[in-house]
Amino acid sequence: MRIISGKYKGRRIFPPKNLPVRPTTDMSKEALFNVLNNHFDFEGLKILDLFSGTGNISFEFASRGSENITSVDADFGCMKFIKQVAEEYDFNIATMRSDVFKFLEKNTNSYDIIFADPPYALDQKTFENIVTLVFKQELLREDGMMVIEHSKYTKLDHMIHFSFKKSYGGSIFSFFEINKESVLD
């Protein structure tokens, strides 16, 4: 796993092999950040990284200048690893060991970018519940964007505020924006 761009561009990070994760590939991550670069200047943004796993996405945001990042994952080993890397590189990443759905229900903060990379094996309704909770709880700021990474078997383009999707290999990124209503509603 490597950081694609920013202050720590090219830096390799080696997570422990025993973490229960499927990190976003470097190719997919680079494509994702190419899209986000067209919408945002990362400095000063408030970021929420759900199902953080290795912290791959959080580290990329931090390297690009985001200074207010919250990483949420239920796995203790994942949170410990993210915290260690954040300290080593002086990244401002707050780690929250929590079930993502409980976190979303109780959280009262709002974010410029919300990224979620749930296990692909979760069912359709569970993916839809992420979208529903984020907008019900008003966690996304008006000019913000939510991105959910999923497999081709999960369909989210019928959900409220769906904007567009991009496919990279076996991964699909579905993008949601407050000012975009689904055309299928």
Side-chain angles (χ1 to χ4, degrees), residues 87-113:
E87 287 174 9
E88 180 181 341
Y89 291 100
D90 197 29
F91 290 154
N92 188 20
I93 299 174
T95 55
M96 301 286 298
R97 183 173 170 258
S98 175
D99 173 85
V100 166
F101 298 97
K102 288 179 183 172
F103 174 85
L104 291 174
E105 288 171 1
K106 294 179 181 179
N107 188 28
T108 57
N109 293 311
S110 63
Y111 302 89
D112 297 295
I113 299 176

Side-chain angles (χ1 to χ4, degrees), residues 50-185:
L50 301 171
F51 304 95
S52 302
T54 61
N56 190 10
I57 298 297
S58 291
F59 303 146
E60 193 67 39
F61 277 115
S63 180
R64 293 168 185 249
S66 296
E67 296 179 358
N68 190 338
I69 303 164
T70 302
S71 295
V72 181
D73 200 286
D75 187 80
F76 175 78
C78 290
M79 292 293 90
K80 181 180 174 187
F81 176 71
I82 293 171
K83 198 174 216 171
Q84 288 171 341
V85 173
E87 287 174 9
E88 180 181 341
Y89 291 100
D90 197 29
F91 290 154
N92 188 20
I93 299 174
T95 55
M96 301 286 298
R97 183 173 170 258
S98 175
D99 173 85
V100 166
F101 298 97
K102 288 179 183 172
F103 174 85
L104 291 174
E105 288 171 1
K106 294 179 181 179
N107 188 28
T108 57
N109 293 311
S110 63
Y111 302 89
D112 297 295
I113 299 176
I114 299 174
F115 179 80
D117 184 9
Y120 283 9
L122 295 178
D123 64 24
Q124 176 75 29
K125 285 277 185 220
T126 305
F127 275 88
E128 291 173 0
N129 196 29
I130 296 166
V131 177
T132 302
L133 279 171
V134 163
F135 289 108
K136 178 182 166 206
Q137 298 295 104
E138 299 180 348
L139 302 180
L140 188 65
R141 292 182 175 166
E142 191 164 322
D143 292 328
M145 185 175 282
M146 178 171 65
V147 183
I148 300 180
E149 182 176 348
H150 56 89
S151 77
K152 64 182 179 182
Y153 302 107
T154 300
K155 308 290 184 217
L156 297 174
D157 47 352
H158 64 284
M159 298 296 296
I160 188 168
H161 301 299
F162 175 81
S163 184
F164 61 97
K165 66 183 176 183
K166 298 277 187 178
S167 300
Y168 303 101
S171 296
I172 294 176
F173 295 108
S174 287
F175 295 81
F176 298 83
E177 298 175 81
I178 296 269
N179 57 354
K180 303 287 183 185
E181 291 296 327
S182 172
V183 294
L184 302 177
D185 282 348

Side-chain angles (χ1 to χ4, degrees), residues 16-73:
K17 296 194 184 308
N18 62 343
L19 296 180
V21 296
R22 174 205 32 79
T24 302
T25 65
D26 286 350
M27 180 189 81
S28 294
K29 183 170 61 167
E30 188 166 8
L32 167 67
F33 276 87
N34 285 340
V35 171
L36 293 175
N37 273 331
N38 289 323
H39 291 85
F40 298 99
D41 175 11
F42 296 114
E43 289 183 31
L45 293 184
K46 193 169 181 181
I47 310 294
L48 178 60
D49 183 6
L50 301 171
F51 304 95
S52 302
T54 61
N56 190 10
I57 298 297
S58 291
F59 303 146
E60 193 67 39
F61 277 115
S63 180
R64 293 168 185 249
S66 296
E67 296 179 358
N68 190 338
I69 303 164
T70 302
S71 295
V72 181
D73 200 286

